[in-house]
Amino acid sequence: MPEEDKDSETVYDPNSLPSLLPIYYNYIFPYGPYCKWLFYGSKAGSGSLFEKREFSFTLQNDIYVRYQSFASEAEFRKELKKMNPYKIDIGAIYSAPPKHRNRVSGGSFKPLTKELVFDIDMTDYDDVRKCCQGADICRKCWTLMSIAIKILNRALKDDFGFKHLLWVYSGRRGVHCWVCDEKARSLSAHARSSIVEYLSLIQAGNHEKRVTLRDPVHPYIRNCHQVIRSYWDKYAIEDQGFLDEDKDVAKVLKLISDLDVREKVEKQFAGKNSAERWKKLRETCTSTYESDPKRNRKLRYTSHEIMMEFCFPRLDVNVSKGINHLLKSPFCVHPKTGRVCVPIDVSRVDEFDPFTVPTISDLCTQVEKTEITPNEKTETPDTEVQETGDSSNTKKLYRKTSLQDYMKPFDSLLENLQKEAAKQNLILQSDLKGEF
Amino acid sequence: MQFGGTPQRRRTRRQMLNATMDEDSYPHGLMMYNEPPSVNITLQEFESFAFERVKVLHFLDSLSVSAVKNSTAYNEKLTEFLRKNYPGFLLQTATGREVSDAELNWRRKDHVSHFILRLAYCRSEELRRWFLDKELDLFKFRFLQESSSSIQAFLKLNNLTYEPISKEERTRYSAALCTSSYDMNEANVENSLFYRVPFIDVLNLVSSRKVFLHQGDAFVPQKEFLSIISTRFREHLSKALAMTSRALPQLDEDDRLLPMLRSFNQTAVTSAYDPKKNEGKVTVSDLEELSKISYPLCMRQVHSSLKETHHLRHWARMQYGLFLKAIGVTLEDSLKFWRQELGKGIGIDKFDKQYAYNIRHNYGKEGKRTNYTPYSCMTIITKNPPSAQDHHGCPFKHTSPDLLRQKLKSYKTSTDVIEEIITLVKAQHFQIACGKYFEVTHKMEGTSFQVTHPNHYFDESQKILK
């Protein structure tokens, strides 16, 4: 059972959502940075990238509306305050504002660009985690998410050269990654699925052994193995005790392809704990391989394969492949847990604790206690979004709540996107002028 | 293109040809055939250019069933053939020196003949597929002959301007490069050129994780370039053929070209078979024995399941029925045979009502009276893959290796041969595997028997055994 956050002043009750959401959308949702993100530096007004973006809302009583779009931050804010959606999804940037799709001729309304996204869900690891199943998570299995984040983050940055990644907690049992580079947004579906295939190792389906490594082992796999190894002892041996019980042992032994070796290893398990058993397993496989490398080459990477089987990220290609796929927005609230979908700071990924993420009731309580009068009347028009001044000048209430603790990755994302856009502009300008 | 005219006009035209034919139009021996030729040629050249190229493509076809593509044996045989029949395809493009007229001539011929054959092979799906396959094989062979500098020139000409990585980078990433591409070791890495290619240009290498990625760039070894270019070649030619086929009916043409084009692909594609030669040679009582000694495995399989279960589904009946027609079973005998076998399963009445018609149809005695040709290997391998309850298809392709092993064992094939066959099958060389089986069962080891048609298998077998 997840520990209750000792700092929370209230326990979240899903039934209170209808009364909490209005406060959230009025005083807490970080409209400024959020819209700045989705504008991607384009000018407000017709033709902006924001205006052609599809949003979908899930309202109270499971009413679902698609093809929502907004011309400005103000319009967006107004709508959220009016509708109080339980869930917000972000879709693609289309060729025309989605809410006006009927005004364009049939074939010409189509999705053009969207961030490259990944969704990692803890339920996909049910067959390899002992502590929890299904929608439940605990601090022991959350490590799997840390591993997944590290592996993907490194690969997307170092191998694919992407620079603007946003990792977000999904509110309950997983994490999402938004790759915001312009190059990423314009990727075709084919390119997206190729990327997923590059990153994937776990075959879908119910095979008994889903990872087989053969020489030559690609550098990406070696990198992944290093990440997993750094967590292995604590995660698999200590926390999961994956070789403690007999039924677990049987499952692991099946991953050794050579039957003789399997028997040999099993015999050495008697009376030993997980750590010692793992040691014996590795030693036996390695020594058998070394005794006749040609014949026993299948055993060379057995321990690696086992580690991968237990820890490697499970990716859903369908989420990443489609340009028009709708994914839950950052900063919305998970209706069942009340947790806000907050950004995750990758540089401190091991410190992230899903059980201390603020809930909507926490935040609403904090706001009530803060002595600030609502600033709606002094709201500046859309041009505010274009200013490059820092937003701490404007009195945004969320910055005074515990939500601010999670804003750093988002603020950095915006800063970097802006720097990049400025650089591009300079290049464009100097090209136009003929300067170098 | 215009043709004919008086001899004088033809001579002037030929001079005009030489004028337009310079290094600019043909900067490289290899080409992607993006633009159609705009030269004038004579009617005779039209025919001879095309015919010579067709010969090469046919040879490639038959070679592909007797040797593994791009193996030493394959390359040697092909080189030998080209030396005698089309030396132009053996020319390597030299960079940095002037191109001779002779070379330019070959390039023009290459260009023109390719486009003529497009006209000949665009008309049906099967023809297009065949042509595409063979042209790609030819292109790959020629590509692999070219030198590094020549390839770089070719890439540049086709807007594939990728920069090779520096020696220093090669050393820095040596370990990664060794383990990311197939067939790479330290020595190879030292000596190969690697190009920096944006990963979106090599998605097939990315998805199979067969290339080293760094900061969004793939470090592609030169030999992988073939796969990039092949993909482009294939895509482009496929589209072009489809377009050509749509444009063909609208050709404003007299009767000189189309009949000629038609004659090219009659003997083209998968060797068709004329059944009239054998009519009456085989009686029903011979079939059981023949199935064991002269049938290829695909027919033996169908025959024995018919005998066992007295039932065969549609495609199996087609495959076997047409085969029987071609080996010489008359219509009457055929009806007798099927009646006998199927009758035991479904009853004589039902047979007469529902199946007899189809057999007569196969012999061209019903309906539009087409005399159907028996299926070639290509057709059996690629069309109508069998499901679990079916018995048609090519056993080398459609049976799992374990089951195939069992079957061959039951036919008393030796273990070595079985393993050889399984290796060939796993590498997708189904017809070579069948050829191997033929060799072994007819005690002809060491020869390489090319199987392209089950009836051909049967005929050759009968020749040997008689």
Side-chain angles (χ1 to χ4, degrees), chain B residues 407-430:
Chain B
K407 192 172 259 187
L408 291 173
K409 234 179 178 164
S410 74
Y411 296 154
K412 309 266 191 324
T413 324
S414 80
T415 333
D416 297 332
V417 175
I418 294 184
E419 288 314 312
E420 244 190 286
I421 290 181
I422 299 288
T423 315
L424 286 168
V425 159
K426 283 193 177 158
Q428 313 272 311
H429 303 302
F430 311 117

Side-chain angles (χ1 to χ4, degrees), chain A residues 157-163 187-188 190-191 193-195 197-201 216-222, chain B residues 175-183 199-200 203-217:
Chain A
K157 287 205 146 139
D158 293 347
D159 295 359
F160 288 98
F162 294 125
K163 298 193 175 58
L187 288 172
S188 65
H190 180 211
S193 60
S194 299
I195 294 177
E197 280 179 69
Y198 175 93
L199 296 169
S200 302
L201 195 57
V217 174
H218 193 276
Y220 166 70
I221 309 268
R222 286 193 193 273
Chain B
L177 290 172
C178 283
T179 50
S180 47
S181 298
Y182 183 67
D183 222 15
F199 78 87
I200 23 184
L203 289 178
N204 57 328
L205 292 178
V206 170
S207 63
S208 53
R209 220 184 290 123
K210 290 231 160 75
V211 73
F212 175 59
L213 288 188
H214 183 67
Q215 293 297 325
D217 287 327

Side-chain angles (χ1 to χ4, degrees), chain A residues 61-121:
Chain A
N61 299 322
D62 278 333
I63 302 173
Y64 182 66
V65 287
R66 264 194 79 173
Y67 298 113
Q68 305 299 292
S69 64
F70 312 97
S72 65
E73 180 188 327
E75 209 182 297
F76 180 67
R77 191 194 291 250
K78 196 165 154 203
E79 193 70 12
L80 285 197
K81 289 199 265 202
K82 187 172 108 190
M83 309 288 272
N84 292 306
Y86 272 38
K87 186 169 174 249
I88 307 171
D89 288 334
I90 302 179
I93 297 175
Y94 281 76
S95 49
K99 74 176 173 202
H100 296 145
R101 67 195 179 285
N102 297 316
R103 294 186 196 172
V104 295
S105 64
S108 57
F109 176 71
K110 45 183 186 253
L112 296 180
T113 63
K114 190 179 76 75
E115 295 75 9
L116 171 63
V117 295
F118 297 92
D119 179 352
I120 313 204
D121 190 326

